[in-house]
Amino acid sequence: MANEECRVLSIQSTVVFGYVGNKSASFPLQLLGFDVSTINSVQFSNHTGYGKFKGQVLNDDDVECLYEGLKENNIHNFTHLLTGYIGSKSFLQKVGDIIKDMKKTNPTLTYVCDPVMGDNGKMVGCHGNHIMYVPEELLPVYKETILPLADIITPNQYEAELLTGRSINSEEEALLAMDDLHNMGPQTVVISSSNLGSNGTIMSLASTVKNGCKEKFKIEFKLLPAIFVGTGDLFAACLMAWMQTDKKLQVALEKTLSTLQAVIKRTLTYAQEQAGPGNTPNSAQMELRLVHSKKDIESPNIIYKAVPL
């Protein structure tokens, strides 16, 4: 649990039904002692993987208007900021202005950036190996404006490649990319998932700079035979909470991934039961079983150990 008063402003997508973006991040953060305030970059009926969805997209004026309302009432002093999916360049630029203003109000603000731009293509309706969910014009804004303001970033392997212009095919290349990302500003860099694991595992890599020295870790975990949506948002939220509580990257990484594995195992078991033998679960059945994982979120059972590099 976060012991001091922790207040987070979370700016990302939301859905009416299911768990992605703010819906995936808010409940875990609240369980772990954070007072959560949300601004939704988009509000959809459900996530886009269903094929059909309806809803609204906020623009830069909308986010500025909401933030101005907080400022006018002097309720914009947060200890933490979390950003996830943002779909337009102007919105992201406006968020950059808001981060600068929040850091003026509270110079010790911790900003966690999940630069949601794409993944390795294991998504519905994509072509080739990689898919970008956002316009390419967001990339320079992340590199030039957002990353220099971030304290912690949690890209996946593909996003780390986009941000650094490096291809990552080995642990060594991953570490070089992480060094590049440190040089852009963030003190802590975590590649949330990569295909660098051995024997069908996924590898997460993490690096933090402490008193001029770098601590680096890797952790491997089992790849489950299914596509989960909202896991990156859950990862960033849990990592932020455990970094605040434990102040140790190694412990935060272990707790975060153990939580994630517990949630997705429960989700897959439930989905397969609902779908019935031999049937592939649908999107609704595969929604994360977050509420049912309350105990795992509050006190994760550490099953995966982070190895120092």
Side-chain angles (χ1 to χ4, degrees):
M1 296 279 171
N3 42 15
E4 58 262 61
E5 183 76 22
C6 291
R7 294 178 306 283
V8 59
L9 177 63
S10 179
I11 305 176
Q12 49 187 319
S13 61
T14 197
V15 286
V16 176
F17 179 88
Y19 293 95
V20 298
N22 274 326
K23 280 285 291 290
S24 191
S26 295
F27 179 66
L29 284 169
Q30 287 166 330
L31 283 181
L32 294 170
F34 281 73
D35 193 341
V36 182
S37 303
T38 56
I39 291 178
N40 303 318
S41 56
V42 301
Q43 171 176 277
F44 290 157
S45 53
N46 45 273
H47 72 68
T48 57
Y50 282 74
K52 294 177 186 171
F53 61 94
K54 300 222 165 176
Q56 299 80 36
V57 178
L58 264 72
N59 62 32
D60 51 323
D61 290 339
D62 296 327
V63 67
E64 182 175 36
C65 174
L66 289 169
Y67 184 67
E68 283 305 315
L70 297 175
K71 272 191 85 168
E72 281 174 17
N73 290 294
N74 197 27
I75 46 175
H76 65 301
N77 184 9
F78 294 90
T79 59
H80 291 73
L81 173 68
L82 175 63
T83 61
Y85 175 84
I86 289 167
S88 81
K89 181 182 176 183
S90 59
F91 191 106
L92 188 60
Q93 286 170 323
K94 186 56 68 183
V95 168
D97 296 338
I98 288 171
I99 301 163
K100 286 173 192 163
D101 194 68
M102 286 175 70
K103 288 208 164 198
K104 257 188 230 152
T105 306
N106 176 15
T108 63
L109 176 89
T110 299
Y111 169 36
V112 179
C113 170
D114 183 12
V116 180
M117 288 184 284
D119 69 11
N120 63 5
K122 292 177 185 163
M123 285 283 289
V124 179
C126 60
H127 307 282
N129 280 339
H130 293 114
I131 178 168
M132 246 182 128
Y133 318 137
V134 298
E136 283 187 29
E137 60 182 17
L138 268 74
L139 188 54
V141 183
Y142 271 114
K143 286 161 78 165
E144 292 154 26
T145 304
I146 303 297
L147 261 58
L149 297 167
D151 300 288
I152 300 171
I153 58 162
T154 61
N156 60 30
Q157 179 178 352
Y158 173 51
E159 288 155 352
E161 290 178 330
L162 282 176
L163 289 165
T164 60
R166 283 182 186 273
S167 58
I168 299 173
N169 300 303
S170 66
E171 249 179 73
E172 293 69 35
E173 288 177 344
L175 291 172
L176 288 170
M178 289 162 83
D179 285 341
D180 289 348
L181 291 168
H182 277 305
N183 291 336
M184 292 182 195
Q187 182 185 355
T188 300
V189 176
V190 180
I191 296 179
S192 58
S193 61
S194 78
N195 59 15
L196 302 175
S198 51
N199 308 321
T201 61
I202 298 177
M203 183 188 290
S204 180
L205 298 110
S207 170
T208 193
V209 182
K210 265 189 176 174
N211 310 320
C213 301
K214 273 190 186 128
E215 289 181 354
K216 299 176 185 183
F217 304 97
K218 72 172 179 181
I219 190 165
E220 290 186 51
F221 49 100
K222 199 173 160 197
L223 173 64
L224 292 177
I227 294 165
F228 299 89
V229 179
T231 47
D233 313 317
L234 177 60
F235 182 99
C238 289
L239 186 78
M240 183 177 86
W242 290 120
M243 284 289 283
Q244 173 62 30
T245 308
D246 294 304
K247 314 283 194 240
K248 287 183 185 147
L249 180 58
Q250 185 172 9
V251 178
L253 193 62
E254 289 173 350
K255 286 182 176 178
T256 298
L257 281 167
S258 296
T259 301
L260 243 80
Q261 287 292 299
V263 171
I264 64 175
K265 276 181 193 162
R266 179 172 288 106
T267 301
L268 187 57
T269 302
Y270 171 82
Q272 287 169 336
E273 283 169 4
Q274 292 291 304
N279 297 323
T280 303
N282 62 28
S283 292
Q285 290 160 342
M286 286 294 292
E287 290 287 0
L288 294 180
R289 300 287 283 169
L290 265 192
V291 173
H292 306 82
S293 303
K294 176 177 180 287
K295 284 184 178 146
D296 294 304
I297 296 166
E298 287 177 311
S299 54
N301 175 26
I302 307 295
I303 35 175
Y304 297 97
K305 289 286 186 186
V307 181
L309 291 169

